[in-house]
């Protein structure tokens, strides 16, 4: 027997579970995952309602985007607060409270928005963001209790699948609802966007009932005591006092390294997700309003598929080859991501991406590659690492802290990118979109490198990396702000300079 | 931080679920010979075909409970097929997880061919290994004795 086969057999032997355990865990995981997917249905329904809301209330794109920004800020903050309480009340209770909350807010949004104004919508969606933030800590906490450290990577990959499935479900359901339908005396006219906030909560309610009856917070509660070994705290039970969770997680340096890296994941993931439609229009010359080309539809359909494949593969690699350590795999992924995005920036600067056959294929290929790398880090850093750090008792808050940074990173990235693109689009096209994403991806890689050095006991090297990273970020921000202001001034001066020149021939 | 594991009360519902899970896992841990497998597949294919025919011929304008019933029948047959494939892999001394290696590439290839009809070579590349595995399911003989993938609760020989 070769070494590889021997180690594989050894791994398999050490992960033998009692009869029925794997099936029971499958049922638990399916119910919890489905609940999380339903959360996504009550979140991504908004983007399908946006055109209808814009038509009815005359909202601008900035106002629609601002509703999203409020949602993100509330979601990030909610992760911090709800994660802490989740460790006190348990993952199942946290997910059920979140489900009831999101059902209520969505129904209010759907039924009570006839006399709505911007403040009402923003306020309700902010509330939804805060309540939805009970989902991730709850889900991560339940699964931390059900999986050994070396099994969590793959299941974190499946977490990515659940997210994508929620998006896919609402993407399929929304067009059907918006097309209008009749059930007996109940008639919904085509284009009634309010129905998007009334039907998805029904699905959430059904799955919440399933969760209540089928999910168990830990194997102990399901009749499998001592099956899973928790590296952090192996004693019975899954809840701890708020103070203990706060102290343990906040004083754990690993959390902060992962939080910085995850902020970078959020920056790239949300930037590429939210701005890709505009990129299709501006760079590849697609009509994304009325006649969306097949290649755009196929690229957007391919992205979730490759994202799931990347998530599962990276989780499996970290489980099998790195004994459940996430940072080496995450570091490689972040650096790969930065190389991919830097290549995309170079190719775009060389004029190879544009409305030609080759240019369109290249442009779409880079989006798919970015999705693979971004979603792979999303799963192992956002789901597997908090389980490893917090164990079954404090995974909720660990996940809350780390995941909140994803949304803060996303808000920062979109805030910077929007302004920089508006200022530079005429001169440099969409180059700075990729350049900004490269910066975030590289930062994530260096954060993981610093963690790797720390875990290997190389404190001096770790401090050097952290110092160099901080200096680079500071320099980038200072120089970037200076250049941005210069460009804005030049742009403002342009119309003034062009006006006399345009007026001269007329004379 | 302690390492103790004191017992936690288990509800009767959770105990029933545990029993169900043991039953279902035991079902998957069996084995099936190639001839019996082929017979099961032929019967399953016939059931699928019949359901499709019935749906097309009589259920087009039928009420939803009939559609739901036919859907449940399809799901039950699909479960039966999965069960037999996993058992057959066990009979060959291989892990039942290979079921995913058979099913996912077919599904992905179907999706891809729908999106990019010109990329037929990708379809061939994706399906080559699953086709090879499927052929093995029908023609390869089983291993002797109890395989390590077979019923884990059974006493070692």
């Amino acid at each position: 027997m070769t070494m590889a086969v021997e180690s594989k057999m050894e791994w398999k032997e050490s992960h033998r579970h009692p009869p029925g355990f794997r099936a029971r865990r499958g049922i638990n995981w399916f119910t919890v995952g489905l609940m999380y997917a339903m959360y996504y249905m009550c979140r991504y329904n908004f983007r399908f309602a946006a055109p209808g809301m814009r038509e009815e209330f005359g909202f601008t794109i900035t106002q629609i985007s601002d509703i999203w920004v409020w949602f993100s800020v509330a979601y990030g903050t909610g992760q911090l607060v709800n994660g802490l309480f989740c460790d006190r009340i348990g993952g199942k209770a946290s997910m059920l409270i979140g489900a009831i909350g999101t059902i209520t807010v969505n129904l209010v949004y759907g039924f009570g928005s006839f006399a709505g104004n911007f403040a009402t919508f923003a306020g309700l969606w902010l509330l939804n963001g805060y309540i939805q933030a009970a989902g991730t800590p709850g889900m991560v906490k339940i699964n931390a209790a059900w999986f050994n450290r070396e099994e969590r990577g793959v299941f974190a990959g499946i977490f990515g699948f659940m997210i994508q499935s929620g998006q896919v479900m609402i993407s399929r359901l929304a067009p059907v609802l918006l097309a209008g339908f009749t059930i007996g005396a109940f008639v919904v006219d085509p284009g009634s966007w309010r129905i998007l906030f009334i039907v998805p909560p029904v699905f959430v309610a059904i799955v919440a009932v399933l969760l209540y009856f089928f999910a168990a917070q830990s194997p102990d509660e399901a009749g499998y005591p001592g099956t899973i070994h928790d590296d952090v705290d192996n004693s019975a039970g899954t809840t701890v006092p708020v103070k203990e969770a706060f102290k343990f997680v906040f004083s754990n340096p690993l959390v902060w390294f992962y939080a910085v890296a995850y902020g970078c994941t959020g920056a790239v993931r949300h930037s590429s997700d939210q701005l890709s439609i505009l990129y299709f229009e501006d760079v590849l010359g697609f009509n994304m309003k009325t006649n969306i080309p097949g290649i755009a539809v196929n690229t957007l359909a391919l992205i979730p598929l490759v994202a799931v494949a990347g998530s599962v593969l990276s989780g499996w690699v970290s489980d099998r080859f790195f004994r459940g350590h996430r940072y080496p795999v995450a570091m490689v992924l972040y650096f790969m991501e930065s190389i991919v995005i830097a290549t995309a920036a170079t190719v775009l600067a060389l004029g190879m991406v544009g409305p030609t056959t080759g240019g369109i294929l290249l442009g779409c290929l880079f989006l798919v590659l970015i999705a693979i790398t971004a979603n792979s880090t999303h799963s192992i850093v956002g789901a597997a690492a908090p389980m490893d750090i917090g164990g079954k008792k404090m995974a909720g808050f660990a996940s809350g802290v780390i995941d909140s940074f994803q949304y803060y990173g996303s808000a920062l990235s979109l805030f910077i990118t929007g302004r920089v693109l508006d200022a530079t689009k005429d001169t440099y096209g969409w180059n700075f979109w990729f350049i900004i994403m490269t910066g975030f991806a590289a930062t994530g890689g260096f954060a993981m490198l610093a963690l790797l050095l720390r875990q290997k006991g190389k404190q001096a090297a770790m401090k050097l990396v952290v110092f160099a990273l901080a200096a680079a970020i500071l320099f980038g921000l200072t120089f970037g702000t200076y250049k941005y202001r210069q460009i804005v001034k030049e742009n403002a001066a342009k119309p003034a300079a062009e006006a006399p020149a345009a007026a001269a021939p007329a004379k | 931080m302690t390492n103790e594991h004191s017992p936690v009360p288990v509800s009767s519902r959770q105990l029933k679920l545990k029993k169900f899970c043991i039953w279902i896992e035991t079902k998957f841990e069996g084995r099936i010979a190639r001839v019996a497998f082929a017979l099961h597949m032929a019967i399953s294919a016939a059931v699928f075909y019949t359901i499709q025919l019935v749906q097309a011929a009589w259920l087009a304008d039928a009420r939803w409970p009939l559609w739901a019933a036919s859907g449940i029948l399809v799901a039950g047959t699909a479960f039966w097929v999965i069960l037999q494939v996993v058992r057959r892999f066990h009979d060959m001394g291989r892990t039942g997880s290979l079921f995913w290696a058979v099913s996912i590439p077919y599904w992905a290839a179907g999706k891809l061919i729908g999106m990019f009809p010109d990329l037929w070579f990708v379809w061939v590349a994706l399906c080559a290994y699953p086709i090879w595995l499927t052929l093995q399911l029908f023609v390869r003989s089983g291993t002797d004795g109890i395989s390590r993938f077979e019923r884990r609760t059974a006493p070692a020989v």
Side-chain angles (χ1 to χ4, degrees), chain A residues 271-301:
Chain A
S271 185
S272 66
D273 270 3
Q274 306 300 335
L275 299 177
S276 54
I277 304 292
L278 296 176
Y279 163 81
F280 280 144
E281 263 192 351
D282 292 356
V283 179
L284 305 183
F286 294 166
N287 176 356
M288 298 299 290
K289 289 186 195 80
T290 50
N291 187 19
I292 302 174
I295 182 88
V297 174
N298 290 334
T299 304
L300 292 173

Side-chain angles (χ1 to χ4, degrees), chain A residues 9 12 16-24 27 92 172 212-216 220-226 228-230 232-237 244 248 295 298 301-302 305 392 394, chain B residues 1-11 13-26 28-29 90 95 97 107-108 111-112 114-117 147-150 152-153:
Chain A
M9 294 292 287
K12 278 193 181 294
R16 280 222 181 277
H17 293 302
F21 179 77
R22 286 179 306 161
R24 179 67 190 87
I27 291 174
K92 191 171 160 181
R172 298 268 168 150
Y212 178 78
F213 284 111
F214 292 120
D220 300 30
E221 281 183 26
Y224 292 98
I228 297 296
H229 181 82
D230 195 315
V232 182
D233 184 351
N234 202 36
S235 60
E244 194 181 319
F248 177 82
I295 182 88
N298 290 334
L302 199 60
L305 291 180
K392 64 181 176 182
M394 282 163 287
Chain B
M1 305 293 153
T2 61
N3 218 26
E4 294 158 10
H5 232 284
S6 51
V8 171
V10 184
S11 67
R13 186 173 59 243
Q14 291 294 345
L15 282 175
K16 276 180 197 159
L17 257 176
K18 184 181 176 180
K19 273 184 191 166
F20 171 74
C21 291
I22 292 173
W23 176 78
I24 210 134
E25 215 170 79
T26 315
F28 274 98
E29 284 172 356
H90 290 170
T95 169
S97 306
W107 172 79
K111 285 270 171 197
L112 271 178
M115 287 196 278
F116 306 100
S147 83
R148 63 195 171 96
F149 298 109
E150 215 180 331
R152 289 179 298 150
T153 44

Side-chain angles (χ1 to χ4, degrees), chain A residues 125-145:
Chain A
W125 220 235
L126 181 141
L127 202 60
N128 194 33
Y130 180 82
I131 290 163
Q132 287 242 340
T136 311
M139 191 190 72
V140 169
K141 187 175 175 63
I142 293 173
N143 286 311

Side-chain angles (χ1 to χ4, degrees), chain A residues 11 79 94 155 159 215 219 258 265 268-269 289 349 366 373 439 475 486 490 497 501:
Chain A
W11 191 89
Q79 296 268 25
S94 177
F155 287 90
F159 157 81
Y258 278 122
T265 293
V268 176
R269 183 174 163 243
K289 289 186 195 80
F366 279 117
T373 50
F475 173 76
Q486 211 174 21
E490 280 170 17

